[in-house]
Amino acid sequence: INRSEIVGRPLAAMLSNDGADVYSVDINSIYLFQNGRLINCTETETPESCVKKSSVVVSGVPTKAYRLPTQWIQPNTVVVNVSSYKNV
């Protein structure tokens, strides 16, 4: 969550190149990195639906106001916060 040039976009590309399907969620769009390619998701995809499908969630939203709703996180999901603020 947060497609920055420093963490979000490069991490999504690296994981995708290694075979992962990566949802890249930003304030105004959701993309899927798949097999090293960037795919624009349909309007039916929401941040909630992406998090619920994920086995790993990386959050890097640089604001105190953002909190990832914990009810979206499925059991056994790994959540990593790379922001200087507590996003979860």
Side-chain angles (χ1 to χ4, degrees):
I1 300 173
N2 188 16
R3 193 177 317 114
S4 72
E5 296 294 325
I6 295 175
V7 175
R9 190 170 294 177
L11 182 60
M14 287 189 294
L15 292 170
S16 174
N17 286 337
D18 285 343
D21 290 345
V22 180
Y23 287 101
S24 180
V25 178
D26 206 32
I27 194 166
N28 58 1
S29 61
I30 299 174
Y31 292 104
L32 173 62
F33 284 79
Q34 192 172 52
N35 298 320
R37 296 177 187 216
L38 183 65
I39 302 164
N40 194 4
C41 289
T42 65
E43 291 183 15
T44 59
E45 287 291 0
T46 64
E48 180 178 1
S49 69
C50 294
V51 170
K52 285 184 173 183
K53 290 187 237 182
S54 299
S55 56
V56 177
V57 177
V58 179
S59 180
V61 181
T63 180
K64 286 182 181 181
Y66 180 78
R67 290 272 197 240
L68 176 66
T70 56
Q71 64 269 25
W72 294 358
I73 302 167
Q74 300 303 303
N76 301 314
T77 298
V78 175
V79 180
V80 179
N81 180 35
V82 296
S83 174
S84 58
Y85 299 105
K86 188 173 180 180
N87 289 162
V88 181

